[in-house]
């Protein structure tokens, strides 16, 4: 793995006029790796053959505002979301028109997830809402939908690969985890049980219970106007006999090196393909520092009976270049989970848990350690905002602020 990725080089680039599509905000491969889709600032979605680097099609008016995210439901159907508050469904076999447009959000839609078992589409936006869409009953007029969850300052939402957990990051530095997830059950305000929601009084308390784990704090959710969760609500249902209740909520503020007393914004959120860990890109509230951090999921009993159990433990981190302040940089895991591709200035960095690109479970440190730089690749003339591994080929794509898409693959 190390030799393969160390040999990776800029292979080709696709550079179209920035006057038409603007910055590249998101990249997504089809599950079979045959199509690379590009979400653009100026209402467009671009489609390419990633093997030949040939342009397939431009959806010139995919939306009425910025296109933020793309998610494939299978090898032919994909969904896009936009600042125009809508989600659009598309079929690769008939790209001249949308399958349907979904209306339900009241602000910019930033994230799309999909549960392949239930065929439920899950979206989140800056209106603070997580909405569930039933694609089993999709028509030209849209899909039946319901509001599933709401929180203030919502940035990103992800499902674990087995859809047993939902993670939500916020611009105020909170990470929310819904355990034992049931997407068929709507969560009204105050209806979800709170797990491990005790406020820790100091970082030393946190250290004694979990050496580098996140600090557990009050919730940013709309419980009342007075601030954090009330004691009455926290004690109402903490844990059922023999396990956690469905959709139980854990609220954390993940520790970020050097930012303990300054606060941070969790701008990007990804999950390990085997569900072992979560990957965060965090920036300080003053926007002068940026970090990439890996947190291992911890299951089982608390370290100490008197301590709240934290489901995440910081294992690896690295400080980023902090170029292009104010822009969100989307990073990702490789399909096997051994490597991270992270935007770094005008290029990307390939990062490993050790210098041999070992599995995370084989190199878990007792205390948080640095991510190892395997290779740096620079082929852009502007700030890189997003990067993605191909699910089927040894290839990486990156997109930048000026609209260029670069492809990288090994050269021997």
């Amino acid at each position: 793995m190390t030799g393969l990725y160390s040999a990776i080089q800029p292979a080709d680039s696709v550079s179209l006029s920035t006057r038409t599509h603007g910055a590249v905000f998101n990249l997504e491969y089809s599950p079979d790796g045959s199509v690379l889709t590009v979400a653009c600032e100026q209402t467009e979605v671009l489609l390419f053959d990633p093997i030949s680097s040939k342009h397939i099609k431009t959806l010139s008016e995919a939306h009425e505002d910025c296109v933020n995210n793309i998610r494939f439901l299978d090898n032919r159907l994909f969904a896009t979301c936009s600042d125009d508050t809508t989600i659009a469904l598309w079929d690769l076999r008939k790209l001249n028109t949308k399958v349907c447009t979904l209306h339900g959000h009241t602000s910019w839609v930033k994230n799309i997830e999909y549960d392949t078992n239930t065929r439920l589409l899950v979206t989140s936006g800056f209106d603070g809402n997580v909405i569930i869409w039933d694609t089993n009953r999709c028509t030209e007029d849209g899909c039946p939908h319901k509001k599933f969850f709401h929180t203030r300052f919502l940035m990103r939402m992800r499902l674990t690969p087995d859809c047993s957990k939902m993670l939500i990051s916020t611009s105020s530095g909170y990470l929310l985890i819904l355990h034992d997830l049931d997407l068929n059950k709507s969560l009204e305000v105050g209806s979800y049980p709170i797990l491990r929601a005790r406020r820790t009084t100091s970082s030393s308390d946190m250290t004694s219970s979990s050496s580098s784990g996140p600090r557990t704090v009050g919730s940013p959710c709309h419980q009342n106007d007075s601030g954090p969760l009330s004691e009455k609500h926290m004690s109402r249902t903490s844990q059922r006999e023999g396990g956690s209740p469905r959709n139980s909520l854990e609220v954390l503020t993940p520790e970020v090196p050097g930012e303990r007393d300054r606060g941070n914004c969790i701008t990007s959120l990804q999950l390990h393909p085997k569900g072992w860990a979560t990957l965060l890109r965090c920036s300080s509230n003053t926007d002068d520092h940026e970090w990439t951090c890996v947190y291992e999921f911890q299951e089982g009993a608390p370290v100490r009976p008197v301590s709240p159990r934290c489901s995440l433990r910081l294992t690896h981190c690295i400080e980023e270049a902090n170029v292009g302040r104010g822009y969100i940089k989307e990073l990702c895991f490789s399909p096997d989970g051994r490597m991270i591709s992270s935007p770094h200035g005008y290029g990307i960095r390939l990062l490993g848990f050790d210098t041999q690109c070992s599995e995370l479970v084989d190199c878990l440190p007792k205390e948080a350690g640095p991510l190892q730089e395997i290779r740096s690749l620079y082929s852009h003339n502007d700030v890189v905002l997003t990067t993605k591994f191909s699910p089927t080929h040894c290839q990486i794509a990156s997109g930048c602020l000026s609209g260029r898409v670069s492809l990288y693959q090994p050269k021997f």
Side-chain angles (χ1 to χ4, degrees):
M1 291 295 296
T2 308
L4 187 64
Y5 281 107
S6 294
I8 210 159
Q9 297 280 351
D12 212 339
S13 64
V14 181
S15 186
L16 301 179
S17 171
T18 58
R19 290 176 296 177
T20 60
H21 67 265
V24 173
F25 284 162
N26 191 251
L27 298 163
E28 185 72 11
Y29 285 88
S30 60
D32 62 4
S34 64
V35 177
L36 173 64
T37 56
V38 183
C40 301
E41 178 185 15
Q42 300 295 337
T43 77
E44 295 182 351
V45 173
L46 312 178
L47 293 91
F48 295 96
D49 178 341
I51 305 305
S52 67
S53 302
K54 290 182 178 178
H55 175 237
I56 298 173
K57 191 174 181 63
T58 295
L59 306 179
S60 58
E61 295 182 357
H63 287 274
E64 296 178 1
D65 208 332
C66 303
V67 184
N68 297 314
N69 193 235
I70 302 174
R71 175 70 59 179
F72 274 87
L73 284 60
D74 52 36
N75 281 322
R76 61 181 180 84
L77 291 173
F78 65 96
T80 59
C81 65
S82 169
D83 282 0
D84 68 6
T85 76
T86 70
I87 302 98
L89 296 183
W90 304 86
D91 191 326
L92 286 175
R93 300 168 301 180
K94 189 180 179 182
L95 289 170
N96 291 328
T97 183
K98 300 173 186 177
V99 174
C100 64
T101 300
L102 309 181
H103 299 270
H105 284 280
T106 58
S107 187
W108 302 346
V109 188
K110 294 295 185 180
N111 223 166
I112 307 173
E113 292 286 275
Y114 184 64
D115 183 347
T116 55
N117 297 318
T118 61
R119 288 175 54 87
L120 295 176
L121 197 71
V122 188
T123 61
S124 66
F126 279 4
D127 55 4
N129 292 325
V130 176
I131 296 180
I132 308 294
W133 311 82
D134 187 357
T135 62
N136 298 291
R137 296 186 286 162
C138 193
T139 69
E140 292 181 356
D141 298 324
C143 301
H145 67 278
K146 63 181 179 181
K147 186 189 296 185
F148 179 73
F149 189 79
H150 179 86
T151 185
R152 291 174 289 178
F153 315 123
L154 191 154
M155 286 292 293
R156 293 290 184 266
M157 173 273 306
R158 300 288 179 193
L159 300 179
T160 53
D162 62 0
C163 295
S164 65
K165 298 181 182 69
M166 177 185 290
L167 280 75
I168 297 171
S169 67
T170 73
S171 59
S172 53
Y174 292 99
L175 186 67
L176 283 61
I177 307 177
L178 285 164
H179 293 268
D180 198 9
L181 188 65
D182 182 1
L183 293 175
N184 291 306
K185 179 182 178 183
S186 293
L187 299 180
E188 303 298 333
V189 172
S191 70
Y192 37 82
I194 305 295
L195 297 183
R196 300 165 294 278
R198 194 187 74 176
R199 180 183 294 275
T200 53
T201 56
S202 69
S203 58
S204 60
D205 290 343
M206 180 274 297
T207 304
S208 64
S209 64
S210 178
S211 60
S212 295
R215 293 164 285 148
T216 308
V217 299
S219 169
C221 303
H222 281 144
Q223 299 297 324
N224 52 51
D225 294 333
S226 60
L229 296 164
S230 65
E231 288 292 331
K232 180 177 73 172
H233 187 77
M234 285 192 288
S235 61
R236 186 159 54 93
T237 58
S238 64
Q239 252 181 316
R240 69 184 179 194
E241 192 71 28
S244 303
R246 301 300 298 271
N247 294 330
S248 53
L249 176 66
E250 181 177 18
V251 185
L252 305 169
T253 50
E255 182 186 0
V256 178
E259 304 297 324
R260 180 172 297 171
D261 300 320
R262 304 174 63 186
N264 65 86
C265 172
I266 304 173
T267 57
S268 183
L269 167 65
Q270 299 290 341
L271 288 164
H272 190 281
K274 297 178 182 178
W276 294 341
T278 184
L279 175 65
L280 304 182
R281 185 76 170 244
C282 305
S283 61
S284 63
N285 283 344
T286 53
D287 238 9
D288 55 350
H289 291 279
E290 238 180 340
W291 290 83
T292 289
C293 301
V294 178
Y295 300 86
E296 171 204 15
F297 280 109
Q298 297 188 112
E299 304 295 344
V303 178
R304 296 187 303 164
V306 298
S307 302
R309 188 192 83 197
C310 290
S311 288
L312 296 177
R313 181 178 75 92
L314 178 65
T315 61
H316 298 82
C317 57
I318 193 168
E319 188 165 8
E320 296 289 2
N322 195 34
V323 177
R325 295 183 185 182
Y327 285 96
I328 294 172
K329 289 90 174 183
E330 299 286 3
L331 65 180
C332 65
F333 280 108
S334 61
D336 59 8
R338 292 171 179 256
M339 192 170 294
I340 295 162
S341 182
S342 178
H344 189 256
Y346 287 14
I348 60 173
R349 283 197 299 187
L350 302 183
L351 306 169
F353 304 115
D354 63 12
T355 56
Q356 287 76 46
C357 296
S358 301
E359 294 271 21
L360 174 62
V361 293
D362 295 329
C363 52
L364 287 172
K366 292 183 179 180
E367 296 184 357
L371 286 165
Q372 301 298 315
E373 184 174 322
I374 307 301
R375 186 160 179 75
S376 294
L377 298 162
Y378 298 97
S379 64
H380 291 271
N381 58 5
D382 210 334
V383 178
V384 173
L385 301 181
T386 182
T387 179
K388 185 71 71 171
F389 282 91
S390 167
T392 55
H393 299 83
C394 188
Q395 185 184 75
I396 309 169
S398 63
C400 74
L401 190 58
S402 62
R404 181 178 179 179
V405 176
S406 291
L407 302 176
Y408 312 86
Q409 56 195 39
K411 289 184 178 180
F412 297 101

